[in-house]
Coordinates of all heavy atoms in Angstrom, one line a residue:
S1 N 117.5 106.3 60.9 CA 117.5 105.2 62.0 C 116.2 105.3 62.7 O 115.8 106.4 63.2 CB 118.7 105.3 62.9 OG 118.6 104.4 64.0
S2 N 115.5 104.2 62.9 CA 114.2 104.2 63.6 C 113.9 102.8 64.1 O 114.2 101.8 63.5 CB 113.1 104.7 62.7 OG 111.8 104.6 63.3
I7 N 109.9 105.5 59.4 CA 110.3 105.5 58.0 C 109.6 104.5 57.2 O 109.9 104.4 56.0 CB 111.8 105.4 57.8 CG1 112.3 104.1 58.5 CG2 112.6 106.5 58.5 CD1 113.8 103.8 58.3
D20 N 116.7 111.0 50.0 CA 118.0 110.7 50.7 C 118.8 111.9 50.9 O 119.2 112.5 49.9 CB 118.8 109.6 49.8 CG 120.1 109.2 50.5 OD1 120.4 109.8 51.5 OD2 120.7 108.3 49.9
M21 N 119.0 112.4 52.1 CA 119.7 113.6 52.4 C 121.1 113.4 52.9 O 121.8 114.3 53.4 CB 118.9 114.4 53.4 CG 117.6 114.8 52.9 SD 116.6 115.7 54.2 CE 117.6 117.1 54.5
S22 N 121.7 112.1 52.7 CA 122.9 111.8 53.3 C 124.1 112.6 52.7 O 125.2 112.7 53.3 CB 123.2 110.3 53.1 OG 123.2 109.9 51.7
A41 N 121.4 119.2 57.4 CA 120.7 118.4 58.3 C 120.9 116.9 58.0 O 120.5 116.0 58.8 CB 119.2 118.7 58.5
G42 N 121.5 116.5 56.9 CA 121.7 115.1 56.6 C 122.9 114.5 57.2 O 123.3 113.4 57.0
A43 N 123.7 115.3 57.9 CA 124.9 114.9 58.5 C 124.7 113.8 59.6 O 123.9 114.1 60.5 CB 125.7 116.1 59.1
A44 N 125.4 112.7 59.5 CA 125.3 111.7 60.5 C 126.3 112.0 61.6 O 127.2 112.8 61.5 CB 125.6 110.3 59.9
G45 N 126.1 111.3 62.7 CA 126.9 111.5 63.9 C 128.4 111.6 63.7 O 129.1 112.6 64.0
P46 N 129.0 110.6 63.0 CA 130.5 110.7 62.8 C 130.9 111.9 62.0 O 132.0 112.4 62.2 CB 130.8 109.4 62.1 CG 129.7 108.4 62.5 CD 128.5 109.3 62.6
H47 N 130.1 112.3 61.0 CA 130.4 113.4 60.1 C 130.4 114.7 60.9 O 131.2 115.6 60.8 CB 129.5 113.5 58.9 CG 129.6 112.4 58.0 ND1 128.5 111.7 57.6 CD2 130.6 111.8 57.4 CE1 128.9 110.7 56.7 NE2 130.2 110.8 56.6
I48 N 129.4 114.8 61.8 CA 129.3 116.0 62.7 C 130.5 116.1 63.6 O 131.2 117.2 63.6 CB 128.0 115.9 63.5 CG1 126.8 116.0 62.6 CG2 128.0 117.0 64.6 CD1 125.5 115.7 63.3
H61 N 126.4 114.8 71.2 CA 125.2 114.1 71.1 C 125.5 112.7 70.6 O 125.8 112.5 69.5 CB 124.2 114.8 70.2 CG 122.8 114.3 70.3 ND1 122.0 114.6 71.4 CD2 122.1 113.5 69.5 CE1 120.8 114.0 71.2 NE2 120.8 113.3 70.1
P63 N 123.6 109.3 70.7 CA 122.6 108.2 70.8 C 123.3 106.9 70.4 O 124.3 106.9 69.7 CB 121.5 108.6 69.8 CG 122.2 109.5 68.8 CD 123.3 110.2 69.5
Q64 N 122.6 105.8 70.7 CA 123.2 104.5 70.4 C 123.3 104.3 68.9 O 124.1 103.6 68.3 CB 122.4 103.3 71.0 CG 123.2 102.0 71.0 CD 122.4 101.0 71.8 OE1 121.3 100.6 71.5 NE2 123.1 100.5 72.9
S65 N 122.4 105.0 68.1 CA 122.4 105.0 66.7 C 123.4 106.0 66.1 O 123.2 106.3 64.9 CB 121.0 105.2 66.2 OG 120.5 106.5 66.6
F66 N 124.3 106.5 66.8 CA 125.2 107.6 66.5 C 125.8 107.4 65.1 O 125.9 108.3 64.3 CB 126.3 107.7 67.5 CG 127.4 108.6 67.2 CD1 127.3 110.0 67.3 CD2 128.6 108.1 66.7 CE1 128.3 110.9 67.0 CE2 129.7 109.0 66.4 CZ 129.5 110.3 66.6
E67 N 126.2 106.2 64.8 CA 126.9 105.9 63.5 C 126.1 106.2 62.3 O 126.6 106.5 61.2 CB 127.4 104.5 63.5 CG 128.4 104.1 64.6 CD 128.8 102.7 64.6 OE1 127.8 101.8 64.6 OE2 129.9 102.3 64.6
Y68 N 124.8 106.0 62.4 CA 123.9 106.1 61.2 C 122.9 107.1 61.2 O 122.4 107.6 60.2 CB 123.3 104.7 60.9 CG 124.3 103.6 60.7 CD1 124.6 102.7 61.6 CD2 124.9 103.5 59.5 CE1 125.5 101.7 61.4 CE2 125.9 102.5 59.2 CZ 126.1 101.6 60.2 OH 127.1 100.6 60.0
S69 N 122.4 107.6 62.4 CA 121.4 108.5 62.5 C 121.9 109.9 62.2 O 123.1 110.2 62.3 CB 120.7 108.5 63.8 OG 121.6 108.6 64.9
T70 N 121.0 110.8 61.8 CA 121.4 112.2 61.3 C 120.9 113.3 62.2 O 120.0 113.1 63.0 CB 120.9 112.4 59.9 OG1 119.4 112.5 60.0 CG2 121.3 111.3 58.9
L71 N 121.5 114.4 62.1 CA 121.1 115.6 62.8 C 119.6 115.9 62.6 O 118.9 116.2 63.6 CB 122.0 116.8 62.5 CG 121.7 118.1 63.2 CD1 121.7 118.0 64.7 CD2 122.7 119.2 62.7
G72 N 119.2 115.9 61.4 CA 117.7 116.1 61.1 C 116.9 115.1 61.8 O 115.8 115.4 62.3
G73 N 117.3 113.8 61.7 CA 116.5 112.8 62.4 C 116.5 113.0 63.9 O 115.5 112.7 64.5
W74 N 117.6 113.4 64.5 CA 117.6 113.6 65.9 C 116.6 114.7 66.3 O 115.9 114.6 67.3 CB 119.0 114.1 66.4 CG 120.1 113.1 66.2 CD1 119.9 111.7 65.9 CD2 121.5 113.3 66.1 NE1 121.2 111.2 65.8 CE2 122.1 112.1 65.9 CE3 122.3 114.5 66.3 CZ2 123.5 112.0 65.8 CZ3 123.6 114.4 66.2 CH2 124.3 113.1 66.0
F261 N 128.5 101.6 71.0 CA 127.7 101.6 69.8 C 127.7 100.3 69.1 O 127.1 100.1 68.0 CB 128.3 102.6 68.8 CG 128.4 104.0 69.3 CD1 129.6 104.8 69.3 CD2 127.3 104.7 69.9 CE1 129.7 106.0 69.7 CE2 127.4 105.9 70.4 CZ 128.6 106.6 70.3
R262 N 128.2 99.2 69.8 CA 128.2 97.9 69.2 C 127.0 97.0 69.6 O 126.7 96.1 68.9 CB 129.5 97.2 69.7 CG 130.8 97.8 69.2 CD 132.0 97.0 69.8 NE 133.2 97.7 69.5 CZ 134.4 97.4 70.1 NH1 134.5 96.4 70.9 NH2 135.5 98.0 69.8
P264 N 123.8 97.2 69.2 CA 122.8 96.8 68.2 C 123.2 95.7 67.3 O 122.3 95.0 66.8 CB 122.5 98.1 67.5 CG 122.9 99.2 68.5 CD 124.0 98.6 69.3
Y265 N 124.5 95.5 67.1 CA 124.9 94.5 66.2 C 124.7 93.1 66.7 O 124.7 92.1 66.0 CB 126.4 94.7 65.8 CG 126.7 96.0 65.1 CD1 127.2 97.1 65.8 CD2 126.5 96.1 63.7 CE1 127.5 98.3 65.1 CE2 126.7 97.3 63.1 CZ 127.2 98.4 63.8 OH 127.5 99.5 63.1
N268 N 121.7 90.7 65.2 CA 121.9 89.8 64.1 C 122.4 88.4 64.6 O 121.9 87.4 64.1 CB 122.8 90.3 63.0 CG 122.3 91.5 62.3 OD1 121.1 91.8 62.3 ND2 123.1 92.3 61.7

Side-chain angles (χ1 to χ4, degrees):
S1 174
S2 172
I7 56 178
D20 181 354
M21 297 175 62
S22 60
H47 296 130
I48 292 169
H61 193 74
Q64 197 170 63
S65 59
F66 171 78
E67 296 173 309
Y68 297 105
S69 54
T70 66
L71 179 55
W74 298 342
F261 302 129
R262 296 178 187 171
Y265 296 100
N268 294 342

